[in-house]
Amino acid sequence: MTAYKTILAGAAFAALAAPAMAATFGSNAVVYALGNEGRTLVTLAAPGMSMPSGIALDFGGPLTSLDAITYRPKTRELYGYDNESDTVFLVDPMTGSATVVATQAGLTGNDDLDIDFNNVLDAARIVTAEEENRVFFLNNMPPSFISATDLFYGATDPNFGLDPNIVANAYTNAVPDATSTVQYVLDSDWDILATLANNAGELTTVGELFVDGMAFDVTEDIGLDILSFAEGDNTAYALLTGGMGGGQSIFEVPLMADAMGRINLMPVMALDGEFGTLQSLAVAPAPVPVPAALPLLAAGVAALGLAARRRRG
């Protein structure tokens, strides 16, 4: 079963098995994260879900965890990356099966990282807390990686000279064959939303993170993704750890700062720690199941047409 079909099956099952949840992500989104130190794929939201659920990841061998996950709009599949083995995996969200796609020894040297697809190129960028900037070309035969310029704040940026700690990234226009895109990142040391100029490595500050008028101090246990139902339709979400309570929550993230240079985060979902401290975030449009009555209606219309033709004959 393909990953697209398993996402569809999972969404359809959730819709049948549970009453509709509050439309905090919209009524047609599926939201994933990693729990239990990257050993569990956690579904935080899906059509019809009333509470998060988790499934153990199965690597079919000695590997036990992932450091980040991402949704690939081109194929509607879920991918993951593990720093320890420097490996990209295809993840089946129904079974938890993680299948090796490509490996390059020594690719990254830090497990505080993230991965997301540039949907113009259909290639995935991996960024880490060590300023590493890697690109995965899934469509090459065989799939391959390159190392791009390490991350830095540009000379004209207000944070020029600061050592960045980029541990989450996401591209706008998360749709197949996008014509344009912008990459956003989160810096957990300086609590900043910034843009990243892809292979050039240059970071440009967008603003500092705030919640309810208070500066928000985050840890490295975070994630960022952008939900797009069409090109130009972009809603950013972040899984953040920190603040006064030190817990985890999902926030909607404005992609522009206010007049004071603040990114005013809007709470979406508080997390209860059932799956430990979560990391990474992947948000995707949920496939829309065909209502069961429609095939029956189509069959009935076809039968009536056949009967009419027989009468005319």
Side-chain angles (χ1 to χ4, degrees):
M1 183 180 289
T2 66
Y4 168 67
K5 289 179 180 176
T6 55
I7 291 175
L8 172 60
F13 176 81
L16 293 172
M21 64 170 288
T24 51
F25 292 99
S27 60
N28 51 352
V30 180
V31 184
Y32 298 106
L34 292 171
N36 297 325
E37 299 184 346
R39 297 190 298 271
T40 301
L41 179 67
V42 180
T43 304
L44 293 171
M49 281 189 64
S50 60
M51 59 195 310
S53 64
I55 186 170
L57 292 168
D58 178 9
F59 297 87
L63 297 176
T64 60
S65 65
L66 294 174
D67 295 306
I69 51 174
T70 182
Y71 168 68
R72 182 188 182 194
K74 182 76 171 181
T75 58
R76 300 180 180 180
E77 294 171 319
L78 195 66
Y79 286 80
Y81 180 74
D82 169 53
N83 169 70
E84 182 179 357
S85 62
D86 301 298
T87 299
V88 174
F89 295 86
L90 176 64
V91 179
D92 186 325
M94 280 294 287
T95 66
S97 174
T99 304
V100 173
V101 176
T103 299
Q104 180 170 307
L107 183 67
T108 56
N110 192 295
D111 58 11
D112 292 315
L113 56 84
D114 203 8
I115 180 173
D116 198 50
F117 274 91
N118 176 328
N119 305 294
V120 174
L121 303 177
D122 192 33
R125 186 172 305 276
I126 303 167
V127 296
T128 81
E130 294 298 324
E131 295 84 57
E132 294 166 317
N133 186 8
R134 311 289 186 249
V135 186
F136 173 51
F137 293 95
L138 183 57
N139 294 317
N140 288 354
M141 293 298 165
S144 61
F145 301 86
I146 66 166
S147 294
T149 303
D150 285 355
L151 308 184
F152 66 97
Y153 286 102
T156 60
D157 192 85
N159 292 303
F160 174 68
L162 294 183
D163 185 21
N165 200 66
I166 304 302
V167 291
N169 69 325
Y171 283 92
T172 62
N173 294 332
V175 296
D177 303 313
T179 61
S180 66
T181 190
V182 177
Q183 183 178 194
Y184 288 86
V185 298
L186 289 173
D187 187 324
S188 65
D189 272 4
W190 308 108
D191 307 315
I192 288 169
L193 176 72
T195 59
L196 168 58
N198 294 306
N199 290 357
E202 183 172 351
L203 299 165
T204 300
T205 299
V206 178
E208 298 181 37
L209 305 180
F210 275 74
V211 176
D212 294 330
M214 303 290 291
F216 194 76
D217 183 18
V218 301
T219 75
E220 291 179 331
D221 296 311
I222 63 179
L224 178 69
D225 206 9
I226 293 173
L227 177 65
S228 303
F229 291 102
E231 188 155 355
D233 173 29
N234 298 293
T235 305
Y237 295 97
L239 164 67
L240 299 178
T241 308
M244 295 296 290
Q248 286 196 301
S249 293
I250 306 290
F251 296 87
E252 185 175 329
V253 183
L255 295 178
M256 294 180 62
D258 67 12
M260 293 182 287
R262 298 177 175 183
I263 302 297
N264 296 300
L265 303 169
M266 294 168 282
V268 173
M269 172 188 285
L271 303 170
D272 61 9
E274 177 185 359
F275 299 100
T277 299
L278 301 184
Q279 62 197 64
S280 196
L281 191 68
V283 183
V288 180
V290 176
L294 289 184
L296 296 176
L297 176 60
V301 170
L304 288 173
L306 178 59
R309 287 195 296 273
R310 285 176 176 171
R311 285 196 299 270
R312 287 195 301 268

